[in-house]
Amino acid sequence: MNPPEECARCPARGKCPVYLAVSSGTVRYAPSGLGPALDEDLGEEPWDTDSQPHPDEGHPPPLEAAPVSWKSVGPCKSRRESPGDLVERCAGEDTQGEEGPAAAQLAVSRLRSSSMEIREKGSEFLKEELHKAQKELKLKDEECERLSKVREQLEQELEELTASLFEEAHKMVREANMKQAASEKQLKEAWGKVDTALFAEFQAWRESPTLDKSSPFLERVYREDVGPCLDFTMQELSALVRTAVEDNTLTIEPVASQTPPTVKVATVEYGSTNTCALSGLARACRHRIRLGDSESHYYISPSSRARITAVCNFFTYIRYIQQGLVRQDAEPMFWEIMRLRKEMSLAKLGFFPQEA
């Protein structure tokens, strides 16, 4: 065993199976138990490479090694290892011993910085999401506000339109009431002017309508309207025309502007297109009449045609009443007959439409 002085002088002796040697003859070592004081200068002691270990220690002879600087040498395990493995393992242990607290502190600092970075990124992400949500919410609020304004505007327009329609409807009702009142007033005035005896005669005729001239109603119309309207200068032809109108066998047709030369006219024509066969006056005749089944035609002027047409319209209407085709009250029928009588009176006086 080594003396106590040698053990105190070199802590590696007696504890490590290998002597660490360097070519320079200098060994840097650190006593075991220095702890974290790794940055302090360690003592150097010259070592004689030629010196041999004490025989009774049982250590192998010194090995030649490349120059390596060592900061610390700790006690190694009793298991024998190769010099290279021992150097690497001891160097790793020394390095861990020196850099352990600093590495731990650095790792903690890195963890803290990573945590702060994660927090910052998470905070930024949350802020961005919150900003987007606020922006979308703002857009939705603006859209809701716009739709609310549109709805208010539509409601206001609908109210105005409804009020306008109600006002227009009330106006139309007022106008209709006023017109109805005016019509009733005119009707009363007309009834005051009309002979009530004439209406009584019409009601009596309407109960049993007939074309017999013996009825008071038709006898009056013949005497006051039909006779004077069909009283033309040519008396003989006028009587024939009246009979044809009463029998509904009179035909009125327009005159062609020019008869084609290839057509043979088999009928007998009286008068000419420049002379009326009923009045005998020189007039432009654009129509002609045919009586019953006769093949004879008579040219008539527009005035004569208007008089005949007015009488034919009157007889057509009373025939409809007789056949039951007119289904109205007595008053509308009576006023229609009065209108037809008015047309006959105007035609008798020479008033007729220009197209006649």
Side-chain angles (χ1 to χ4, degrees):
M1 297 299 292
N2 292 332
E5 294 83 4
E6 291 181 0
C7 293
R9 184 175 54 88
C10 181
R13 289 184 178 182
K15 296 180 181 180
C16 186
V18 180
Y19 287 102
L20 301 178
V22 293
S23 60
S24 60
T26 303
V27 176
R28 180 177 296 177
Y29 67 93
S32 61
L34 290 178
L38 301 176
D39 294 334
E40 298 179 0
D41 294 336
L42 300 177
E44 296 182 357
E45 181 180 356
W47 182 263
D48 187 2
T49 57
D50 297 333
S51 63
Q52 299 294 331
H54 199 272
D56 56 0
E57 295 181 357
H59 296 292
L63 300 177
E64 295 182 358
V68 177
S69 59
W70 297 86
K71 292 184 179 181
S72 63
V73 177
C76 299
K77 296 181 180 179
S78 61
R79 182 173 56 88
R80 293 179 177 270
E81 297 177 356
S82 63
D85 296 339
L86 182 61
V87 171
E88 292 177 359
R89 191 171 63 82
C90 292
E93 292 178 357
D94 293 342
T95 304
Q96 292 178 1
E98 289 181 356
E99 298 179 356
Q105 186 176 2
L106 180 60
V108 171
S109 176
R110 288 178 179 177
L111 287 175
R112 290 179 180 176
S113 62
S114 299
S115 177
M116 292 178 65
E117 184 178 359
I118 292 172
R119 289 181 181 178
E120 290 178 357
K121 290 183 179 180
S123 178
E124 291 178 359
F125 176 76
L126 292 177
K127 286 181 180 179
E128 291 178 358
E129 293 296 325
L130 179 61
H131 181 69
K132 290 180 181 179
Q134 291 176 350
K135 188 175 181 181
E136 292 178 358
L137 184 60
K138 185 178 179 181
L139 292 175
K140 290 182 179 180
D141 291 340
E142 293 177 355
E143 184 68 15
C144 291
E145 185 177 0
R146 186 183 67 82
L147 293 177
S148 178
K149 291 181 179 179
V150 171
R151 184 184 65 181
E152 292 177 358
Q153 184 178 359
L154 291 176
E155 290 178 353
Q156 184 178 1
E157 292 179 356
L158 181 61
E159 291 178 358
E160 293 178 356
L161 180 60
T162 303
S164 176
L165 290 176
F166 273 111
E167 185 178 357
E168 187 69 20
H170 292 162
K171 183 179 179 182
M172 294 175 64
V173 170
R174 288 194 301 269
E175 291 179 354
N177 293 334
M178 293 175 63
K179 290 181 179 179
Q180 183 178 1
S183 299
E184 292 176 356
K185 183 179 179 181
Q186 292 178 359
L187 181 60
K188 290 180 180 180
E189 293 177 354
W191 275 111
K193 296 178 182 179
V194 172
D195 189 359
T196 55
L198 181 61
F199 182 69
E201 294 173 357
F202 169 73
Q203 283 185 323
W205 175 83
R206 179 174 173 272
E207 292 178 359
S208 58
T210 178
L211 298 180
D212 189 3
K213 300 178 186 178
S214 61
S215 65
F217 171 68
L218 286 183
E219 191 275 332
R220 180 190 292 269
V221 175
Y222 267 94
R223 185 180 68 251
E224 295 178 358
D225 301 308
V226 176
C229 193
L230 295 181
D231 186 12
F232 294 99
T233 304
M234 304 299 178
Q235 294 294 323
E236 185 178 356
L237 184 59
S238 297
L240 295 176
V241 169
R242 181 184 297 180
T243 302
V245 170
E246 293 174 359
D247 297 338
N248 196 23
T249 58
L250 185 139
T251 304
I252 302 176
E253 58 184 18
V255 178
S257 59
Q258 184 177 0
T259 303
T262 56
V263 178
K264 294 182 179 180
V265 181
T267 60
V268 177
E269 296 182 352
Y270 294 90
S272 64
T273 57
N274 295 325
T275 303
C276 178
L278 289 172
S279 64
L281 300 176
R283 297 288 186 272
C285 300
R286 297 193 292 271
H287 292 82
R288 64 182 183 180
I289 60 175
R290 184 165 57 88
L291 306 176
D293 297 334
S294 175
E295 296 296 333
S296 302
H297 289 81
Y298 302 90
Y299 291 97
I300 57 175
S301 64
S303 176
S304 299
R305 175 181 177 271
R307 294 166 68 175
I308 296 173
T309 302
V311 176
C312 289
N313 291 337
F314 170 77
F315 276 101
T316 300
Y317 187 70
I318 63 173
R319 287 193 188 98
Y320 287 163
I321 296 175
Q322 182 189 16
Q323 297 171 5
L325 300 177
V326 181
R327 298 180 180 180
Q328 291 179 337
D329 295 335
E331 293 182 6
M333 291 183 183
F334 178 75
W335 287 111
E336 179 63 20
I337 289 175
M338 295 298 292
R339 186 187 68 80
L340 295 173
R341 292 186 64 186
K342 179 182 177 180
E343 288 185 357
M344 288 188 289
S345 299
L346 293 175
K348 179 180 63 175
L349 298 174
F351 297 100
F352 55 92
Q354 294 296 327
E355 59 271 15

